[in-house]
Amino acid sequence: MASKTITEAELDQIHAFAVQLGKDAGNLLMEAARSRFSNNNATHDEKHTAQEFTEKDSAVDIVTQTDEDVEAFIKNAINTRYPSHHFIGEETYAKSSQPTRPYLVAPTTPTWVVDPLDGTVNYTHLFPMFCVSIAFLIDGAPVIGVIYAPMLGQLFTACKGRGAWLNETQQLPLVRQPMPRNAPGGCVFSCEWGKDRKDRPDGNLYRKVESFVNMAAEVGGRGGKGGMVHGVRSLGSATLDLAYTAMGSFDIWWEGGCWEWDVAAGVAVLQEAGGLITSANPPEEWATAEIPEAKLGSRLYLAIRPAGPSEGETAREGQERTVKEVWRRVRALDYTRPGA
Amino acid sequence: MASKTITEAELDQIHAFAVQLGKDAGNLLMEAARSRFSNNNATHDEKHTAQEFTEKDSAVDIVTQTDEDVEAFIKNAINTRYPSHHFIGEETYAKSSQPTRPYLVAPTTPTWVVDPLDGTVNYTHLFPMFCVSIAFLIDGAPVIGVIYAPMLGQLFTACKGRGAWLNETQQLPLVRQPMPRNAPGGCVFSCEWGKDRKDRPDGNLYRKVESFVNMAAEVGGRGGKGGMVHGVRSLGSATLDLAYTAMGSFDIWWEGGCWEWDVAAGVAVLQEAGGLITSANPPEEWATAEIPEAKLGSRLYLAIRPAGPSEGETAREGQERTVKEVWRRVRALDYTRPGA
């Protein structure tokens, strides 16, 4: 299972190290968040002067600093413990001048893929849906995932062959049910508006919205594409979207534009829980196509929750049926790698 | 502040009673949720037979039963302690045959407005964004609000004149900042797709989507209506949308179709934290209109988070400016009371 250079016992050690690292990093995020809480007891009587209040602009600066500090903390811990491993972090990468943003420079080297803060907008606004995301990859495949959302007190962990867990005690998914017979009916559909909001005819914003409306509209509506999903949710964190899909809370997550640090740990947790991950973009012959596993780095993802079998259908068959019902309703998105 | 029949000391007692009731009811919700967790250690090897897995259909039945049981528990506790108070609960009301669904039969009687389970779809799918919502009204105005989301470990409480609190120790909002100068830019916009998904030209689904896209699209887009909000969020719980607006995490919440038990406790928490609540539907002369306070029962709500003043603008002025920037971009929704 692990590559020949890493034994199962070593993998257990790396896992334990990653879990502790995730907890420590998440606690740093929470400390920095808490330091921004007002301690004043003012009600809305406006007795206070403008100087007592921080503007959002400076909140953004504080958050950027925290993001960089926490990445440095994680990178330093990994370099100290595993100096031979490769490290890819969001902040390090964002500052890189490499125009092609090459992913996984040496995929055969054991690699850490880290987002010190996923859900940055949420964190800036102190909405609890933010987390640290740490993945460990062997031969380019995420085999360990640690996601910690400190303001929610939720820790998601997985190591290949050892199961996926919530707070180290509750195995994921919480319930293993068959996919609904009328999927995407009965499904909670998770999706994100993202940052690409250009008002361009048939741009990504419009393709997304058309897809959202198809999934949401009543059955029979939208020229037969209406999916009447049970609910539409947008949390603002790709990592937590994947974590809640692994938990079974979300049945379907569909998104484009993510970078690998947004999803690597979530993919590890999802796959270990029994979820399926493939491409957001429907292949040409979607109805008959094989369901390919999503390539990390593709920026286009469709995740289906862990399922149980039903009479006459295996879990995987139910998931694949759901993938096709999503592909039937969504538009292909246009996200490429800069310079690629 | 309290009506002449209820003293401040009595209000404190009612508040303490409501908080304990919210905790107890939330714990009942959590117990019932936990009883649905799988205890098997299966990974995705599909060794298990279909009989071991529950279908979503029966999950819905279990949830309905829990909803009714928790409402009965709350109603019984209130009737025992305060037999002269009026009680309005979602479940009781849903079963009522009164075609006009008259709200507040005797508004001068102290009244409890209760949703035993808000975020029912989330609860069914074991997504943590569900809560119990308990409001106490004097003369038709919510003066106490208790919201408890047990799977998040988040308790929001407020009593008129005593402030709004997270987990009884952290005053809300977490930070009191001025509204962004370019609002709705810089704002987190919370909205819901709801259950009304008819594929009808210019129906509520299309009016909502048009409004969402206006708020989301780049500045200058959508014929000048593009708001380029910082993020768009959909949680699937009106009560928690209001709680997070009171917390300051969401800057704007815009929604139609809610019933009073969906919002009464949230309105109490929001207002006590210093937030503003008005109508989702823009008045005809929206640019110059007075900002009316939302009427409980109107089914149309626009909430703005608690704000701080900036140089040259009071907190209220910043909130009102934001209301108008939302009204500029949203369509009026069509929600009436059945039989009204």
Side-chain angles (χ1 to χ4, degrees):
Chain A
M1 193 168 294
S3 82
K4 38 190 169 175
T5 57
I6 293 179
T7 66
E8 291 295 317
E10 282 167 340
L11 194 61
D12 278 330
Q13 284 174 354
I14 295 171
H15 181 214
F17 167 79
V19 170
Q20 189 58 49
L21 190 58
K23 289 180 187 174
D24 292 345
N27 290 338
L28 290 177
L29 288 179
M30 195 60 222
E31 264 175 47
R34 200 169 278 123
S35 73
R36 290 165 51 214
F37 291 6
S38 299
N39 289 315
N40 69 68
N41 288 311
T43 51
H44 43 112
D45 55 8
E46 300 185 3
K47 277 185 196 147
H48 294 257
T49 63
Q51 287 71 39
E52 293 181 54
F53 303 99
T54 343
E55 292 262 2
K56 277 267 146 80
D57 288 354
S58 66
V60 171
D61 294 341
I62 296 167
V63 167
T64 304
Q65 190 60 52
T66 303
D67 211 344
E68 290 174 9
D69 291 349
V70 175
E71 177 155 324
F73 167 81
I74 295 171
K75 187 176 184 174
N76 182 54
I78 290 171
N79 284 348
T80 304
R81 177 77 178 258
Y82 300 108
S84 70
H85 292 181
H86 189 59
F87 179 90
I88 296 177
E90 188 200 10
E91 291 306 305
T92 317
Y93 216 54
K95 284 183 187 158
S96 141
S97 58
Q98 294 163 325
T100 55
R101 293 192 161 209
Y103 164 67
L104 289 183
V105 284
T108 53
T109 307
T111 300
W112 295 80
V113 178
V114 170
D115 191 348
L117 171 56
D118 190 78
T120 312
V121 170
N122 292 338
Y123 186 74
T124 305
H125 293 257
L126 298 171
F127 176 55
M129 287 284 166
F130 60 85
C131 61
V132 54
S133 172
I134 298 175
F136 178 68
L137 280 64
I138 297 178
D139 296 332
V143 293
I144 290 172
V146 175
I147 298 165
Y148 181 39
M151 200 165 173
L152 298 168
Q154 292 185 326
L155 171 71
F156 303 86
T157 55
C159 182
K160 194 161 185 172
R162 284 101 171 138
W165 299 83
L166 173 62
N167 293 341
E168 304 179 89
T169 51
Q170 174 62 49
Q171 191 158 14
L172 302 179
L174 298 181
V175 189
R176 192 180 297 276
Q177 294 169 312
M179 298 307 297
R181 277 164 298 216
N182 60 333
C187 290
V188 173
F189 174 58
S190 162
C191 57
E192 302 290 349
W193 291 74
K195 291 172 192 159
D196 181 0
R197 317 254 197 78
K198 289 195 195 74
D199 186 22
R200 208 173 46 195
D202 210 38
N204 278 324
L205 178 62
Y206 287 88
R207 294 178 186 203
K208 275 192 169 186
V209 170
E210 185 181 333
S211 306
F212 298 172
V213 177
N214 285 346
M215 293 293 280
E218 63 181 326
V219 174
R222 308 281 294 175
K225 288 195 174 176
M228 195 61 197
V229 294
H230 208 185
V232 179
R233 303 287 177 267
S234 299
L235 303 183
S237 161
T239 303
L240 288 171
D241 288 336
L242 276 166
Y244 288 121
T245 307
M247 201 155 117
S249 308
F250 294 161
D251 301 271
I252 299 163
W253 176 64
W254 179 78
E255 172 65 320
C258 316
W259 299 105
E260 25 290 3
W261 44 83
D262 297 322
V263 298
V267 167
V269 175
L270 178 80
Q271 290 189 319
E272 187 59 22
L276 179 157
I277 185 121
T278 184
S279 174
N281 283 5
E284 218 159 295
E285 303 286 336
W286 59 263
T288 52
E290 291 282 305
I291 311 279
E293 192 171 306
K295 272 181 244 155
L296 211 57
S298 68
R299 305 193 67 200
L300 297 161
Y301 300 98
L302 167 59
I304 308 293
R305 68 160 165 84
S310 65
E311 279 181 55
E313 197 177 53
T314 66
R316 175 79 192 188
E317 284 166 349
Q319 291 172 320
E320 295 201 349
R321 173 170 55 79
T322 307
V323 166
K324 293 184 177 182
E325 292 298 333
V326 176
W327 280 347
R328 179 199 298 277
R329 291 168 171 86
V330 296
R331 295 285 311 277
L333 299 173
D334 180 22
Y335 290 103
T336 50
R337 302 189 76 78
Chain B
M1 193 168 296
S3 83
K4 38 189 167 177
T5 58
I6 293 179
T7 67
E8 290 294 318
E10 283 167 339
L11 194 61
D12 278 331
Q13 284 173 353
I14 296 170
H15 180 213
F17 167 79
V19 170
Q20 189 57 50
L21 189 58
K23 290 180 187 173
D24 293 344
N27 290 337
L28 289 178
L29 288 180
M30 196 60 221
E31 264 174 48
R34 200 169 279 124
S35 73
R36 290 166 52 214
F37 291 6
S38 299
N39 289 314
N40 70 67
N41 286 311
T43 51
H44 43 111
D45 55 8
E46 301 186 3
K47 278 185 195 147
H48 293 256
T49 63
Q51 287 71 40
E52 292 180 54
F53 304 99
T54 343
E55 291 263 1
K56 276 266 145 85
D57 289 354
S58 67
V60 170
D61 292 342
I62 295 166
V63 167
T64 304
Q65 189 60 51
T66 303
D67 210 345
E68 289 175 9
D69 290 349
V70 174
E71 177 156 323
F73 167 80
I74 296 171
K75 187 176 184 176
N76 182 55
I78 290 172
N79 284 347
T80 303
R81 176 79 178 255
Y82 298 109
S84 70
H85 292 181
H86 189 58
F87 178 90
I88 296 177
E90 188 201 10
E91 292 306 305
T92 317
Y93 216 54
K95 286 183 187 159
S96 140
S97 58
Q98 295 163 327
T100 55
R101 293 192 162 210
Y103 165 65
L104 290 183
V105 284
T108 54
T109 306
T111 300
W112 295 80
V113 178
V114 170
D115 191 348
L117 171 57
D118 191 77
T120 311
V121 168
N122 292 338
Y123 186 74
T124 304
H125 292 257
L126 298 170
F127 177 55
M129 287 283 166
F130 60 85
C131 62
V132 55
S133 172
I134 298 174
F136 178 68
L137 280 64
I138 296 177
D139 296 332
V143 293
I144 290 172
V146 175
I147 297 165
Y148 182 39
M151 200 166 174
L152 297 168
Q154 292 186 325
L155 171 71
F156 303 86
T157 56
C159 182
K160 194 161 185 171
R162 284 103 172 137
W165 300 84
L166 172 63
N167 293 341
E168 303 179 89
T169 51
Q170 174 61 49
Q171 192 157 14
L172 301 180
L174 299 181
V175 189
R176 191 179 298 276
Q177 293 168 312
M179 297 307 299
R181 279 164 298 217
N182 60 334
C187 290
V188 174
F189 174 58
S190 161
C191 58
E192 302 290 350
W193 291 75
K195 291 172 192 159
D196 182 359
R197 317 249 198 80
K198 290 195 194 73
D199 185 22
R200 210 173 45 197
D202 210 37
N204 279 323
L205 177 62
Y206 287 88
R207 294 178 185 203
K208 277 192 167 184
V209 169
E210 185 181 334
S211 306
F212 297 172
V213 176
N214 284 346
M215 294 293 281
E218 64 181 326
V219 172
R222 308 279 298 175
K225 289 195 173 177
M228 194 62 195
V229 294
H230 207 186
V232 179
R233 303 288 177 266
S234 299
L235 303 183
S237 161
T239 302
L240 288 171
D241 288 336
L242 276 166
Y244 288 121
T245 307
M247 201 154 117
S249 309
F250 294 160
D251 300 271
I252 300 162
W253 176 64
W254 179 77
E255 172 64 321
C258 316
W259 297 104
E260 25 290 2
W261 43 83
D262 298 321
V263 297
V267 167
V269 174
L270 178 80
Q271 290 187 321
E272 187 60 22
L276 179 156
I277 185 124
T278 184
S279 174
N281 282 5
E284 219 160 295
E285 303 287 336
W286 59 263
T288 52
E290 291 281 304
I291 311 278
E293 192 172 306
K295 272 181 246 154
L296 211 56
S298 67
R299 306 195 64 198
L300 297 161
Y301 300 98
L302 168 59
I304 308 292
R305 68 160 167 84
S310 66
E311 278 181 56
E313 196 177 55
T314 66
R316 176 79 191 187
E317 285 166 350
Q319 292 172 318
E320 295 200 349
R321 172 171 54 77
T322 307
V323 165
K324 291 183 178 183
E325 293 297 332
V326 177
W327 280 347
R328 179 199 296 278
R329 290 167 172 86
V330 296
R331 296 284 312 277
L333 299 174
D334 180 23
Y335 290 102
T336 51
R337 302 189 75 76

